[in-house]
Amino acid sequence: MSDRIASVWGPRTPTARDGRWPVRVDVRLDLGLTEADVEHWVPSACVLCSNGCGADIAVRDGRMVGVRGRATDVVNHGRLGPKGLHASCRAANSDRRLTRPLVRRGGELVETGWDTAMERIVERSRYLLERHGPSSHGFYGSGQMMAEEYYTWGVIAKAGIGTNHMDGNTRLCTATAAAAMKESFGSDGQPGSYTDVESCDVIALYGHNMAETQTVLWARVLDRLEGPNPPTVIAVDPRSTPVADAARRTGGVHLAPLPGTNLALLNGMVRALVAGGYVDHGYLDAHVHGYDDLVAAVEPYTPEETARICDVDVADVVRAVEVIGRAERLLSTVLQGFYQSHQATASSCAVNNIHLLRGMLGRPGCGVLQMNGQPTAQNAREAGSNGDLPGFRNWDNPAHIDQLAALWNVDRDVIPHDGPPTDALEIFRLAEAGDIGLLWIAATNPAVSLPQLPRIREILDREELFVVVQDGFLTETARYADVVLPAAMWGEREGVFTNVNRTVHHAGKAVDPPGEARPDLDIFLDYARRMDFRDRDGQPLLGWDTAEGAFEAWKECSRGRLCDYSGLSYERLSGSGGIPWPVTEATPDGCDRLYADGVFATGADVCETYGHDLSTGAGLSREEYLALGLEGRARLRGCAYTPAAEVPDDEHPFAVITGRTVYQFHTRTKTGGSGALHAAAPDAWAELSVDDARRLGVAEGDIVRIGNDRGSVEVPARVGRGRPGVVFVPFHYGYEDAASSGDRRSPGTGPGRAANELTPYDKDPVSKQPLLKAGTARVTRVRTGDGPAPAPTTAASAPARRGSVRPTRGRDDGTTWERASDVVPRRVPTPEHTPNTGPGCGARPSAAGSGG
Ligand SMILES: Nc1nc2c(c(=O)[nH]1)N[C@H]1C(S)=C(S)[C@@H](COP(=O)(O)OP(=O)(O)OC[C@H]3O[C@@H](n4cnc5c(=O)[nH]c(N)nc54)[C@H](O)[C@@H]3O)O[C@H]1N2
Ligand SMILES: Nc1nc2c(c(=O)[nH]1)N[C@H]1C(S)=C(S)[C@@H](COP(=O)(O)OP(=O)(O)OC[C@H]3O[C@@H](n4cnc5c(=O)[nH]c(N)nc54)[C@H](O)[C@@H]3O)O[C@H]1N2
Ligand code: SF4
Ligand SMILES: [Mo]
């Protein structure tokens, strides 16, 4: 038995360089049960982050009673982290789930039947379509549904309604990952692989607190750090995270730049790599475009100038560059500290620049992981229910629109392609302006997760705006809805999804959804039937009525594109150890990494975008793109650093950054119902550096007010380990606990606790990702608190003074144990990734040709 709240990453299973990561099977069953009590196990994968760990669901008496990591899975080799173990079954078993549709009657949300709820939506849809056309409709989705659902919803919006106003919360999450890969490599699609963890000798994490946000991947890294020939770690984060601790421990470097200065730092690193002679000119000449322009762009960023802008030590910059320059095999990861910060796309491309300059892509240990966050964000981007077209197609390429029109058998003009799909902040702005009259929100909680919440609440509250919310819980957002549709959640329906490194899993149905709740797919199909969407021949637009049927349709749409699923099937996927796309006749077992041959997806007929000016966001025309003469070469992308829109000043002296803790997932509907997770991180806090706390007279646990012109929060202070001038606020805590019976606050009646009361309504010019780690504020002490802040002590939010706060420990809400790791491997072979990285695993015409 083991406490996986206290021991976040579990016991070590050391791995040597180029060794195989051992199996360790993590299990959690409800209190009092053993594996002998389990009636059957349903193969699935965890949906509590982008890692997508293979997991089997324990079922007994029609209930989900536990979860076990799948030993044969290539992603996790049997492991699960605290969220996977403790939260997986919580939503299904919660007594706060929505079980019937709700409609607004006399100002109140009241229960009703499906017919009434759906007809209300259809009536409003028809009315708006007649009077105002397709652009009256906005669809705002998620990175947490299934591939089948995204594809179906995308076809409805794009070919049924014909609106360009469709996006997902993936815009808040991984829009920059996609944008950076498009700008550098021509298309979305992760070049690297998790197996690079085993082979690398340097691992650099940029704005990525992997230890808390992909705990199983971090366990994989920790196992390398504990084995022979450990890699050196570089951490770039203003906070002292466990990743930063590992950097110090391995003789690497922790760079803690001022928030918003990532690009200056990266430009400085690129300049020093060039100056130090660390460039692989052979690789550049053969496979890469734009060297001279990049060298010119980074010229101003001497180590001294870089250190000045970022407020870091010159010696640390120099040392980080030496470590990266001397690496034989470099693995880099990038996440929200870059994606949600100033100059997001340019900074993330700069990490790609380092790999291209060093020729470190497409071979073992040499990968860049432009990370995802949500479990199924990848599918939203691939299947096109966000601001992308299905199959990584380019909205600006008429041939790609024709392919979709042929596939769906509709007139090409039905599919909106006058401009890029509308981004989330713009969709809400159009709703604010009255241009969008129906906003359908599925599997996301924007009343907590979008920036500038006072403004978001006003938009959702508008009389003229008809809001549909499709969720498992009565969230902060659902309280503003005109119609609430109760959705099935994980384990209550089947579907396919894909993790960060392209690995595809089938998630099975273990139990029935509660009450009248329905799978998202069924809701979309029902709407399409009632709206009577037809194709060119008068046949129903959607030719499927099951999840497997939707998957088959999506497979056809992906055929011939980089994200080719055509060689997959439910049968092959179910219970498998995960298969990474592209999966075709040529690569039936998938591909461990892309671009081994150095041919990138930049061909004008293949690419997902013609590219943008990284500083202004202005798009290139096809002619301008063709004039670059890329012909399959990757692009080095230079861009000058400019100071952020808001920088600390006398009135607002603190940079505000926001993010996560290991024990909660987003707005907590999935984790809040777990007693163990809730107890570990029950309420919001703010982290101040020791120096700032002293200056403000703030002691541990004192209530502080953090405010700016947009809003304020009042929360207890953790005197933490971050850098001066920065205050960190977790974004998990809205004004109520939808999934547990905890405390409820009303918006606008007092100071809030949600980080997004403070964040600006601002976005990156290229990816249009909101700058959720930006903005400034003042911090004032309000009063003495009731004890230490409710911040966990096990990771980045640990107090500066170790031992000053009672350590975070598990609470007995079920058993958690690791099955003895030395027993399992004898029975189960260590999973092996497909070694395939040859032809068909990249952007050659055979794999990424005309498509459609
Ligand atoms: N436990 C847990 N795990 C999760 C999730 C969760 O909610 N809880 N959510 C999942 C999702 S959807 C996502 S997107 C990922 C996110 O995973 P991460 O990106 O790792 O998580 P964050 O805490 O949002 O941000 C990471 C770090 O960015 C740093 N940062 C802030 N501003 C800057 C800056 O200007 N520059 C630099 N270099 N760093 C900065 C913060 O200090 C923080 O430590 O996590 C996934 N996993
Ligand atoms: N300040 C700040 N803000 C942030 C971030 C940050 O770091 N700082 N991070 C951003 C990021 S990266 C992300 S990903 C977002 C996340 O923000 P949200 O998407 O708003 O957060 P969740 O709590 O995951 O909301 C998902 C909702 O979907 C419901 N749900 C879960 N599964 C299903 C399903 O299968 N079907 C249906 N219909 N509903 C389901 C859940 O009950 C929940 O209400 O927040 C963003 N906002
Ligand atoms: S690392 Fe992510 S996918 Fe794996 S168990 Fe933890 S939350 Fe689930
Ligand atoms: Mo995310």
mmCIF file with all atom_site columns, all heavy atoms in Angstrom, residues 209 212-213 237-238 260 262 335-336 341 373 660-662 664 666 773, ligand 1:
data_model
loop_
_atom_site.group_PDB
_atom_site.id
_atom_site.type_symbol
_atom_site.label_atom_id
_atom_site.label_alt_id
_atom_site.label_comp_id
_atom_site.label_asym_id
_atom_site.label_entity_id
_atom_site.label_seq_id
_atom_site.pdbx_PDB_ins_code
_atom_site.Cartn_x
_atom_site.Cartn_y
_atom_site.Cartn_z
_atom_site.occupancy
_atom_site.B_iso_or_equiv
_atom_site.pdbx_formal_charge
_atom_site.auth_seq_id
_atom_site.auth_comp_id
_atom_site.auth_asym_id
_atom_site.auth_atom_id
_atom_site.pdbx_PDB_model_num
ATOM   1   N N   . ASN A 1 209 ? 5.992  22.580 -16.312 1.00 0.00 ? 209 ASN A N   1
ATOM   2   C CA  . ASN A 1 209 ? 6.135  21.968 -14.995 1.00 0.00 ? 209 ASN A CA  1
ATOM   3   C C   . ASN A 1 209 ? 5.696  20.512 -15.081 1.00 0.00 ? 209 ASN A C   1
ATOM   4   O O   . ASN A 1 209 ? 4.724  20.093 -14.452 1.00 0.00 ? 209 ASN A O   1
ATOM   5   C CB  . ASN A 1 209 ? 5.305  22.766 -13.979 1.00 0.00 ? 209 ASN A CB  1
ATOM   6   C CG  . ASN A 1 209 ? 5.472  22.247 -12.570 1.00 0.00 ? 209 ASN A CG  1
ATOM   7   O OD1 . ASN A 1 209 ? 6.339  21.419 -12.289 1.00 0.00 ? 209 ASN A OD1 1
ATOM   8   N ND2 . ASN A 1 209 ? 4.634  22.739 -11.672 1.00 0.00 ? 209 ASN A ND2 1
ATOM   9   N N   . GLU A 1 212 ? 4.325  18.153 -12.299 1.00 0.00 ? 212 GLU A N   1
ATOM   10  C CA  . GLU A 1 212 ? 2.962  18.243 -11.769 1.00 0.00 ? 212 GLU A CA  1
ATOM   11  C C   . GLU A 1 212 ? 1.902  18.009 -12.831 1.00 0.00 ? 212 GLU A C   1
ATOM   12  O O   . GLU A 1 212 ? 0.771  17.670 -12.505 1.00 0.00 ? 212 GLU A O   1
ATOM   13  C CB  . GLU A 1 212 ? 2.729  19.625 -11.124 1.00 0.00 ? 212 GLU A CB  1
ATOM   14  C CG  . GLU A 1 212 ? 3.617  19.829 -9.923  1.00 0.00 ? 212 GLU A CG  1
ATOM   15  C CD  . GLU A 1 212 ? 3.172  20.990 -9.058  1.00 0.00 ? 212 GLU A CD  1
ATOM   16  O OE1 . GLU A 1 212 ? 2.028  20.968 -8.574  1.00 0.00 ? 212 GLU A OE1 1
ATOM   17  O OE2 . GLU A 1 212 ? 3.984  21.921 -8.877  1.00 0.00 ? 212 GLU A OE2 1
ATOM   18  N N   . THR A 1 213 ? 2.271  18.205 -14.093 1.00 0.00 ? 213 THR A N   1
ATOM   19  C CA  . THR A 1 213 ? 1.218  18.209 -15.109 1.00 0.00 ? 213 THR A CA  1
ATOM   20  C C   . THR A 1 213 ? 1.235  16.990 -16.028 1.00 0.00 ? 213 THR A C   1
ATOM   21  O O   . THR A 1 213 ? 0.243  16.732 -16.694 1.00 0.00 ? 213 THR A O   1
ATOM   22  C CB  . THR A 1 213 ? 1.278  19.504 -15.944 1.00 0.00 ? 213 THR A CB  1
ATOM   23  O OG1 . THR A 1 213 ? 2.576  19.635 -16.529 1.00 0.00 ? 213 THR A OG1 1
ATOM   24  C CG2 . THR A 1 213 ? 0.976  20.713 -15.080 1.00 0.00 ? 213 THR A CG2 1
ATOM   25  N N   . ASP A 1 237 ? 11.653 28.525 -16.172 1.00 0.00 ? 237 ASP A N   1
ATOM   26  C CA  . ASP A 1 237 ? 10.396 28.769 -15.449 1.00 0.00 ? 237 ASP A CA  1
ATOM   27  C C   . ASP A 1 237 ? 10.658 29.793 -14.353 1.00 0.00 ? 237 ASP A C   1
ATOM   28  O O   . ASP A 1 237 ? 11.614 29.629 -13.581 1.00 0.00 ? 237 ASP A O   1
ATOM   29  C CB  . ASP A 1 237 ? 9.891  27.450 -14.843 1.00 0.00 ? 237 ASP A CB  1
ATOM   30  C CG  . ASP A 1 237 ? 8.437  27.536 -14.390 1.00 0.00 ? 237 ASP A CG  1
ATOM   31  O OD1 . ASP A 1 237 ? 8.074  28.522 -13.710 1.00 0.00 ? 237 ASP A OD1 1
ATOM   32  O OD2 . ASP A 1 237 ? 7.661  26.618 -14.711 1.00 0.00 ? 237 ASP A OD2 1
ATOM   33  N N   . PRO A 1 238 ? 9.827  30.828 -14.236 1.00 0.00 ? 238 PRO A N   1
ATOM   34  C CA  . PRO A 1 238 ? 10.036 31.815 -13.171 1.00 0.00 ? 238 PRO A CA  1
ATOM   35  C C   . PRO A 1 238 ? 9.899  31.214 -11.779 1.00 0.00 ? 238 PRO A C   1
ATOM   36  O O   . PRO A 1 238 ? 10.366 31.798 -10.796 1.00 0.00 ? 238 PRO A O   1
ATOM   37  C CB  . PRO A 1 238 ? 8.934  32.852 -13.397 1.00 0.00 ? 238 PRO A CB  1
ATOM   38  C CG  . PRO A 1 238 ? 8.343  32.567 -14.726 1.00 0.00 ? 238 PRO A CG  1
ATOM   39  C CD  . PRO A 1 238 ? 8.690  31.151 -15.098 1.00 0.00 ? 238 PRO A CD  1
ATOM   40  N N   . GLY A 1 260 ? 7.084  36.828 -19.537 1.00 0.00 ? 260 GLY A N   1
ATOM   41  C CA  . GLY A 1 260 ? 6.909  37.613 -20.755 1.00 0.00 ? 260 GLY A CA  1
ATOM   42  C C   . GLY A 1 260 ? 8.185  37.875 -21.528 1.00 0.00 ? 260 GLY A C   1
ATOM   43  O O   . GLY A 1 260 ? 8.155  38.562 -22.549 1.00 0.00 ? 260 GLY A O   1
ATOM   44  N N   . ASN A 1 262 ? 10.332 35.326 -22.604 1.00 0.00 ? 262 ASN A N   1
ATOM   45  C CA  . ASN A 1 262 ? 10.829 34.062 -23.173 1.00 0.00 ? 262 ASN A CA  1
ATOM   46  C C   . ASN A 1 262 ? 11.578 34.267 -24.488 1.00 0.00 ? 262 ASN A C   1
ATOM   47  O O   . ASN A 1 262 ? 12.610 33.643 -24.725 1.00 0.00 ? 262 ASN A O   1
ATOM   48  C CB  . ASN A 1 262 ? 9.663  33.102 -23.433 1.00 0.00 ? 262 ASN A CB  1
ATOM   49  C CG  . ASN A 1 262 ? 9.019  32.602 -22.152 1.00 0.00 ? 262 ASN A CG  1
ATOM   50  O OD1 . ASN A 1 262 ? 9.700  32.423 -21.145 1.00 0.00 ? 262 ASN A OD1 1
ATOM   51  N ND2 . ASN A 1 262 ? 7.715  32.392 -22.182 1.00 0.00 ? 262 ASN A ND2 1
ATOM   52  N N   . LEU A 1 335 ? 5.592  24.053 -22.970 1.00 0.00 ? 335 LEU A N   1
ATOM   53  C CA  . LEU A 1 335 ? 4.162  24.083 -22.608 1.00 0.00 ? 335 LEU A CA  1
ATOM   54  C C   . LEU A 1 335 ? 3.746  25.485 -22.136 1.00 0.00 ? 335 LEU A C   1
ATOM   55  O O   . LEU A 1 335 ? 4.342  26.478 -22.567 1.00 0.00 ? 335 LEU A O   1
ATOM   56  C CB  . LEU A 1 335 ? 3.815  22.943 -21.636 1.00 0.00 ? 335 LEU A CB  1
ATOM   57  C CG  . LEU A 1 335 ? 2.322  22.536 -21.558 1.00 0.00 ? 335 LEU A CG  1
ATOM   58  C CD1 . LEU A 1 335 ? 1.654  22.370 -22.908 1.00 0.00 ? 335 LEU A CD1 1
ATOM   59  C CD2 . LEU A 1 335 ? 2.148  21.254 -20.783 1.00 0.00 ? 335 LEU A CD2 1
ATOM   60  N N   . GLN A 1 336 ? 2.792  25.544 -21.247 1.00 0.00 ? 336 GLN A N   1
ATOM   61  C CA  . GLN A 1 336 ? 2.039  26.798 -21.077 1.00 0.00 ? 336 GLN A CA  1
ATOM   62  C C   . GLN A 1 336 ? 2.869  28.010 -20.657 1.00 0.00 ? 336 GLN A C   1
ATOM   63  O O   . GLN A 1 336 ? 2.461  29.144 -20.889 1.00 0.00 ? 336 GLN A O   1
ATOM   64  C CB  . GLN A 1 336 ? 0.877  26.616 -20.103 1.00 0.00 ? 336 GLN A CB  1
ATOM   65  C CG  . GLN A 1 336 ? -0.167 25.586 -20.508 1.00 0.00 ? 336 GLN A CG  1
ATOM   66  C CD  . GLN A 1 336 ? -0.719 25.746 -21.899 1.00 0.00 ? 336 GLN A CD  1
ATOM   67  O OE1 . GLN A 1 336 ? -0.449 26.739 -22.588 1.00 0.00 ? 336 GLN A OE1 1
ATOM   68  N NE2 . GLN A 1 336 ? -1.486 24.763 -22.345 1.00 0.00 ? 336 GLN A NE2 1
ATOM   69  N N   . SER A 1 341 ? 2.110  32.812 -22.787 1.00 0.00 ? 341 SER A N   1
ATOM   70  C CA  . SER A 1 341 ? 2.850  34.009 -22.412 1.00 0.00 ? 341 SER A CA  1
ATOM   71  C C   . SER A 1 341 ? 3.057  34.882 -23.648 1.00 0.00 ? 341 SER A C   1
ATOM   72  O O   . SER A 1 341 ? 2.738  34.490 -24.770 1.00 0.00 ? 341 SER A O   1
ATOM   73  C CB  . SER A 1 341 ? 4.180  33.598 -21.768 1.00 0.00 ? 341 SER A CB  1
ATOM   74  O OG  . SER A 1 341 ? 4.793  34.720 -21.181 1.00 0.00 ? 341 SER A OG  1
ATOM   75  N N   . GLY A 1 373 ? -1.941 19.592 -23.483 1.00 0.00 ? 373 GLY A N   1
ATOM   76  C CA  . GLY A 1 373 ? -2.320 19.586 -22.084 1.00 0.00 ? 373 GLY A CA  1
ATOM   77  C C   . GLY A 1 373 ? -3.500 18.678 -21.849 1.00 0.00 ? 373 GLY A C   1
ATOM   78  O O   . GLY A 1 373 ? -3.450 17.739 -21.054 1.00 0.00 ? 373 GLY A O   1
ATOM   79  N N   . ARG A 1 660 ? -1.090 25.530 -12.539 1.00 0.00 ? 660 ARG A N   1
ATOM   80  C CA  . ARG A 1 660 ? -1.705 24.330 -11.979 1.00 0.00 ? 660 ARG A CA  1
ATOM   81  C C   . ARG A 1 660 ? -1.023 23.799 -10.732 1.00 0.00 ? 660 ARG A C   1
ATOM   82  O O   . ARG A 1 660 ? 0.131  24.083 -10.475 1.00 0.00 ? 660 ARG A O   1
ATOM   83  C CB  . ARG A 1 660 ? -1.635 23.229 -13.035 1.00 0.00 ? 660 ARG A CB  1
ATOM   84  C CG  . ARG A 1 660 ? -2.500 23.544 -14.192 1.00 0.00 ? 660 ARG A CG  1
ATOM   85  C CD  . ARG A 1 660 ? -2.101 22.779 -15.437 1.00 0.00 ? 660 ARG A CD  1
ATOM   86  N NE  . ARG A 1 660 ? -3.163 22.948 -16.414 1.00 0.00 ? 660 ARG A NE  1
ATOM   87  C CZ  . ARG A 1 660 ? -3.306 24.053 -17.147 1.00 0.00 ? 660 ARG A CZ  1
ATOM   88  N NH1 . ARG A 1 660 ? -2.460 25.038 -17.068 1.00 0.00 ? 660 ARG A NH1 1
ATOM   89  N NH2 . ARG A 1 660 ? -4.337 24.166 -17.969 1.00 0.00 ? 660 ARG A NH2 1
ATOM   90  N N   . THR A 1 661 ? -1.764 22.950 -10.035 1.00 0.00 ? 661 THR A N   1
ATOM   91  C CA  . THR A 1 661 ? -1.163 22.100 -9.023  1.00 0.00 ? 661 THR A CA  1
ATOM   92  C C   . THR A 1 661 ? -1.406 20.650 -9.416  1.00 0.00 ? 661 THR A C   1
ATOM   93  O O   . THR A 1 661 ? -2.354 20.342 -10.146 1.00 0.00 ? 661 THR A O   1
ATOM   94  C CB  . THR A 1 661 ? -1.746 22.357 -7.622  1.00 0.00 ? 661 THR A CB  1
ATOM   95  O OG1 . THR A 1 661 ? -1.213 21.346 -6.745  1.00 0.00 ? 661 THR A OG1 1
ATOM   96  C CG2 . THR A 1 661 ? -3.254 22.227 -7.607  1.00 0.00 ? 661 THR A CG2 1
ATOM   97  N N   . VAL A 1 662 ? -0.555 19.787 -8.915  1.00 0.00 ? 662 VAL A N   1
ATOM   98  C CA  . VAL A 1 662 ? -0.603 18.378 -9.301  1.00 0.00 ? 662 VAL A CA  1
ATOM   99  C C   . VAL A 1 662 ? -1.925 17.715 -8.918  1.00 0.00 ? 662 VAL A C   1
ATOM   100 O O   . VAL A 1 662 ? -2.355 16.769 -9.565  1.00 0.00 ? 662 VAL A O   1
ATOM   101 C CB  . VAL A 1 662 ? 0.616  17.640 -8.679  1.00 0.00 ? 662 VAL A CB  1
ATOM   102 C CG1 . VAL A 1 662 ? 0.608  17.711 -7.162  1.00 0.00 ? 662 VAL A CG1 1
ATOM   103 C CG2 . VAL A 1 662 ? 0.684  16.193 -9.131  1.00 0.00 ? 662 VAL A CG2 1
ATOM   104 N N   . GLN A 1 664 ? -5.130 18.958 -8.761  1.00 0.00 ? 664 GLN A N   1
ATOM   105 C CA  . GLN A 1 664 ? -6.419 19.358 -9.327  1.00 0.00 ? 664 GLN A CA  1
ATOM   106 C C   . GLN A 1 664 ? -6.322 19.409 -10.839 1.00 0.00 ? 664 GLN A C   1
ATOM   107 O O   . GLN A 1 664 ? -5.246 19.638 -11.392 1.00 0.00 ? 664 GLN A O   1
ATOM   108 C CB  . GLN A 1 664 ? -6.854 20.733 -8.797  1.00 0.00 ? 664 GLN A CB  1
ATOM   109 C CG  . GLN A 1 664 ? -7.128 20.773 -7.302  1.00 0.00 ? 664 GLN A CG  1
ATOM   110 C CD  . GLN A 1 664 ? -8.356 19.985 -6.862  1.00 0.00 ? 664 GLN A CD  1
ATOM   111 O OE1 . GLN A 1 664 ? -9.029 19.339 -7.648  1.00 0.00 ? 664 GLN A OE1 1
ATOM   112 N NE2 . GLN A 1 664 ? -8.651 20.034 -5.568  1.00 0.00 ? 664 GLN A NE2 1
ATOM   113 N N   . HIS A 1 666 ? -7.922 21.493 -13.829 1.00 0.00 ? 666 HIS A N   1
ATOM   114 C CA  . HIS A 1 666 ? -8.701 22.625 -14.322 1.00 0.00 ? 666 HIS A CA  1
ATOM   115 C C   . HIS A 1 666 ? -9.734 23.120 -13.327 1.00 0.00 ? 666 HIS A C   1
ATOM   116 O O   . HIS A 1 666 ? -9.401 23.390 -12.184 1.00 0.00 ? 666 HIS A O   1
ATOM   117 C CB  . HIS A 1 666 ? -9.403 22.257 -15.634 1.00 0.00 ? 666 HIS A CB  1
ATOM   118 C CG  . HIS A 1 666 ? -8.434 21.885 -16.696 1.00 0.00 ? 666 HIS A CG  1
ATOM   119 N ND1 . HIS A 1 666 ? -8.792 21.346 -17.887 1.00 0.00 ? 666 HIS A ND1 1
ATOM   120 C CD2 . HIS A 1 666 ? -7.091 21.974 -16.737 1.00 0.00 ? 666 HIS A CD2 1
ATOM   121 C CE1 . HIS A 1 666 ? -7.716 21.128 -18.613 1.00 0.00 ? 666 HIS A CE1 1
ATOM   122 N NE2 . HIS A 1 666 ? -6.677 21.489 -17.935 1.00 0.00 ? 666 HIS A NE2 1
ATOM   123 N N   . LYS A 1 773 ? -1.004 33.790 -18.911 1.00 0.00 ? 773 LYS A N   1
ATOM   124 C CA  . LYS A 1 773 ? 0.082  34.001 -17.949 1.00 0.00 ? 773 LYS A CA  1
ATOM   125 C C   . LYS A 1 773 ? 0.673  35.381 -18.201 1.00 0.00 ? 773 LYS A C   1
ATOM   126 O O   . LYS A 1 773 ? 1.869  35.539 -18.440 1.00 0.00 ? 773 LYS A O   1
ATOM   127 C CB  . LYS A 1 773 ? 1.135  32.904 -18.097 1.00 0.00 ? 773 LYS A CB  1
ATOM   128 C CG  . LYS A 1 773 ? 0.551  31.490 -17.892 1.00 0.00 ? 773 LYS A CG  1
ATOM   129 C CD  . LYS A 1 773 ? 1.600  30.460 -17.666 1.00 0.00 ? 773 LYS A CD  1
ATOM   130 C CE  . LYS A 1 773 ? 1.138  29.038 -17.696 1.00 0.00 ? 773 LYS A CE  1
ATOM   131 N NZ  . LYS A 1 773 ? -0.121 28.700 -17.070 1.00 0.00 ? 773 LYS A NZ  1
HETATM 132 N N1  . LIG B 2 .   ? -2.262 18.291 -12.250 1.00 0.00 ? 1   LIG B N1  1
HETATM 133 C C1  . LIG B 2 .   ? -2.659 18.769 -13.425 1.00 0.00 ? 1   LIG B C1  1
HETATM 134 N N2  . LIG B 2 .   ? -2.087 18.333 -14.558 1.00 0.00 ? 1   LIG B N2  1
HETATM 135 C C2  . LIG B 2 .   ? -2.495 18.834 -15.727 1.00 0.00 ? 1   LIG B C2  1
HETATM 136 C C3  . LIG B 2 .   ? -3.569 19.755 -15.824 1.00 0.00 ? 1   LIG B C3  1
HETATM 137 C C4  . LIG B 2 .   ? -4.164 20.181 -14.607 1.00 0.00 ? 1   LIG B C4  1
HETATM 138 O O1  . LIG B 2 .   ? -5.098 21.000 -14.597 1.00 0.00 ? 1   LIG B O1  1
HETATM 139 N N3  . LIG B 2 .   ? -3.688 19.667 -13.436 1.00 0.00 ? 1   LIG B N3  1
HETATM 140 N N4  . LIG B 2 .   ? -3.960 20.258 -17.017 1.00 0.00 ? 1   LIG B N4  1
HETATM 141 C C5  . LIG B 2 .   ? -3.422 19.687 -18.240 1.00 0.00 ? 1   LIG B C5  1
HETATM 142 C C6  . LIG B 2 .   ? -3.443 20.737 -19.270 1.00 0.00 ? 1   LIG B C6  1
HETATM 143 S S1  . LIG B 2 .   ? -4.879 21.009 -20.130 1.00 0.00 ? 1   LIG B S1  1
HETATM 144 C C7  . LIG B 2 .   ? -2.342 21.462 -19.579 1.00 0.00 ? 1   LIG B C7  1
HETATM 145 S S2  . LIG B 2 .   ? -2.436 22.645 -20.796 1.00 0.00 ? 1   LIG B S2  1
HETATM 146 C C8  . LIG B 2 .   ? -1.053 21.182 -18.978 1.00 0.00 ? 1   LIG B C8  1
HETATM 147 C C9  . LIG B 2 .   ? -0.272 22.438 -18.590 1.00 0.00 ? 1   LIG B C9  1
HETATM 148 O O2  . LIG B 2 .   ? 0.934  22.057 -18.059 1.00 0.00 ? 1   LIG B O2  1
HETATM 149 P P1  . LIG B 2 .   ? 2.047  23.133 -17.676 1.00 0.00 ? 1   LIG B P1  1
HETATM 150 O O3  . LIG B 2 .   ? 2.265  24.071 -18.777 1.00 0.00 ? 1   LIG B O3  1
HETATM 151 O O4  . LIG B 2 .   ? 3.222  22.390 -17.177 1.00 0.00 ? 1   LIG B O4  1
HETATM 152 O O5  . LIG B 2 .   ? 1.339  23.852 -16.420 1.00 0.00 ? 1   LIG B O5  1
HETATM 153 P P2  . LIG B 2 .   ? 1.140  25.364 -15.934 1.00 0.00 ? 1   LIG B P2  1
HETATM 154 O O6  . LIG B 2 .   ? 1.141  25.296 -14.460 1.00 0.00 ? 1   LIG B O6  1
HETATM 155 O O7  . LIG B 2 .   ? -0.034 25.964 -16.569 1.00 0.00 ? 1   LIG B O7  1
HETATM 156 O O8  . LIG B 2 .   ? 2.401  26.206 -16.431 1.00 0.00 ? 1   LIG B O8  1
HETATM 157 C C10 . LIG B 2 .   ? 3.715  25.713 -16.399 1.00 0.00 ? 1   LIG B C10 1
HETATM 158 C C11 . LIG B 2 .   ? 4.690  26.715 -15.843 1.00 0.00 ? 1   LIG B C11 1
HETATM 159 O O9  . LIG B 2 .   ? 4.734  27.894 -16.612 1.00 0.00 ? 1   LIG B O9  1
HETATM 160 C C12 . LIG B 2 .   ? 5.403  28.835 -15.805 1.00 0.00 ? 1   LIG B C12 1
HETATM 161 N N5  . LIG B 2 .   ? 5.330  30.174 -16.396 1.00 0.00 ? 1   LIG B N5  1
HETATM 162 C C13 . LIG B 2 .   ? 4.428  31.147 -16.213 1.00 0.00 ? 1   LIG B C13 1
HETATM 163 N N6  . LIG B 2 .   ? 4.728  32.239 -16.931 1.00 0.00 ? 1   LIG B N6  1
HETATM 164 C C14 . LIG B 2 .   ? 5.877  31.987 -17.586 1.00 0.00 ? 1   LIG B C14 1
HETATM 165 C C15 . LIG B 2 .   ? 6.720  32.729 -18.485 1.00 0.00 ? 1   LIG B C15 1
HETATM 166 O O10 . LIG B 2 .   ? 6.457  33.871 -18.854 1.00 0.00 ? 1   LIG B O10 1
HETATM 167 N N7  . LIG B 2 .   ? 7.844  32.088 -18.938 1.00 0.00 ? 1   LIG B N7  1
HETATM 168 C C16 . LIG B 2 .   ? 8.168  30.827 -18.557 1.00 0.00 ? 1   LIG B C16 1
HETATM 169 N N8  . LIG B 2 .   ? 9.276  30.296 -19.072 1.00 0.00 ? 1   LIG B N8  1
HETATM 170 N N9  . LIG B 2 .   ? 7.385  30.105 -17.720 1.00 0.00 ? 1   LIG B N9  1
HETATM 171 C C17 . LIG B 2 .   ? 6.270  30.674 -17.242 1.00 0.00 ? 1   LIG B C17 1
HETATM 172 C C18 . LIG B 2 .   ? 4.694  28.680 -14.481 1.00 0.00 ? 1   LIG B C18 1
HETATM 173 O O11 . LIG B 2 .   ? 5.518  29.122 -13.420 1.00 0.00 ? 1   LIG B O11 1
HETATM 174 C C19 . LIG B 2 .   ? 4.410  27.182 -14.438 1.00 0.00 ? 1   LIG B C19 1
HETATM 175 O O12 . LIG B 2 .   ? 5.242  26.501 -13.522 1.00 0.00 ? 1   LIG B O12 1
HETATM 176 O O13 . LIG B 2 .   ? -1.212 20.382 -17.833 1.00 0.00 ? 1   LIG B O13 1
HETATM 177 C C20 . LIG B 2 .   ? -2.004 19.218 -18.051 1.00 0.00 ? 1   LIG B C20 1
HETATM 178 N N10 . LIG B 2 .   ? -1.877 18.431 -16.859 1.00 0.00 ? 1   LIG B N10 1
#
